[in-house]
Amino acid sequence: MKFRLLAAVLILILPTGCAPVRKVVTDIRQRSAQEEKLSLAVELIARGRTDNAAVLLDAIIIEKPVRGVTDEALFRLALLRLPSEPRTGDIAKATMLLDQLQRDYPDSPWAHQALPLSDFIAEIPARIEAAGELRRQIKSLRDLNLSLTRENKELRLNLEKLKTLDLELERKLKP
């Protein structure tokens, strides 16, 4: 089927010259090569070899854009660039790739999937700041709790001393 389609395209293009035919053949070869790289990258991700997959995905993104391949590569690479422990510097790499995907391929299904992910990532710095504020509050409350525990202990000791003094005073007052 592909051969017949290619033959039909060649017959239509031949009267116009060889240059367009070479371009079509070159484009088909480039698309095929990029599809193979993407397929291999997906396989490497499944095996847990994400560093090797990232190299292939980077190569796809650098090459001439191919709709359906480059957009998927951008999305998958953005996922690989997300850090396990969010820090704003690391998040910027993933955000940049997702922004590029949405800008260059707005109608891609991968861009549609990237939208909620981008929104979630955008909230991370605020969540990190809120978590830091909570840690400071927790530390402050622990310090306050420790201080109150010391004061409570001190008050118990003073109460015991007062009881002892009260008993001694009571003994002295009794004839």
Side-chain angles (χ1 to χ4, degrees):
M1 181 69 180
K2 284 184 180 180
F3 180 72
R4 287 182 183 167
L5 179 63
L6 184 58
V9 169
L10 289 175
I11 290 170
L12 289 173
I13 296 176
L14 278 178
T16 62
C18 290
V21 173
R22 283 191 199 123
K23 183 177 179 346
V24 169
V25 171
T26 302
D27 288 349
I28 291 171
R29 284 183 184 155
Q30 285 177 339
R31 180 175 185 80
S32 178
Q34 287 189 353
E35 285 174 342
E36 286 180 32
K37 284 181 189 177
L38 180 61
S39 178
L40 180 57
V42 170
E43 189 177 316
L44 289 170
I45 291 169
R47 290 185 195 165
R49 297 176 60 194
T50 56
D51 290 340
N52 295 355
V55 170
L56 284 173
L57 294 170
D58 271 326
I60 292 169
I61 291 168
I62 291 169
E63 293 176 13
K64 182 180 176 184
V66 174
R67 190 170 296 281
V69 177
T70 307
D71 50 342
E72 183 177 349
L74 282 164
F75 183 80
R76 290 184 181 275
L77 187 59
L79 290 178
L80 291 178
R81 295 290 186 234
L82 284 174
S84 56
E85 287 293 322
R87 291 176 299 276
T88 52
D90 295 328
I91 293 170
K93 295 172 189 172
T95 302
M96 183 182 71
L97 291 166
L98 292 172
D99 289 346
Q100 181 182 351
L101 170 60
Q102 291 170 349
R103 182 184 63 245
D104 296 348
Y105 304 93
D107 296 330
S108 166
W110 298 102
H112 296 296
Q113 292 182 48
L115 189 59
L117 182 58
S118 294
D119 292 343
F120 178 77
I121 291 172
E123 295 175 5
I124 290 176
R127 291 179 185 208
I128 290 172
E129 188 175 321
E133 179 60 32
L134 285 174
R135 279 190 213 98
R136 286 187 289 279
Q137 288 177 355
I138 289 171
K139 184 183 181 324
S140 174
L141 288 172
R142 282 184 182 149
D143 292 346
L144 181 61
N145 189 23
L146 184 61
S147 173
L148 289 173
T149 301
R150 287 181 190 147
E151 284 182 31
N152 195 9
K153 194 174 189 179
E154 209 174 289
L155 285 172
R156 277 195 217 128
L157 288 173
N158 286 340
L159 184 62
E160 288 300 317
K161 286 180 185 177
L162 282 173
K163 284 181 184 178
T164 305
L165 287 173
D166 189 41
L167 285 174
E168 285 179 20
L169 185 61
E170 213 175 283
R171 281 188 221 150
K172 286 184 180 177
L173 290 178
K174 281 188 178 178

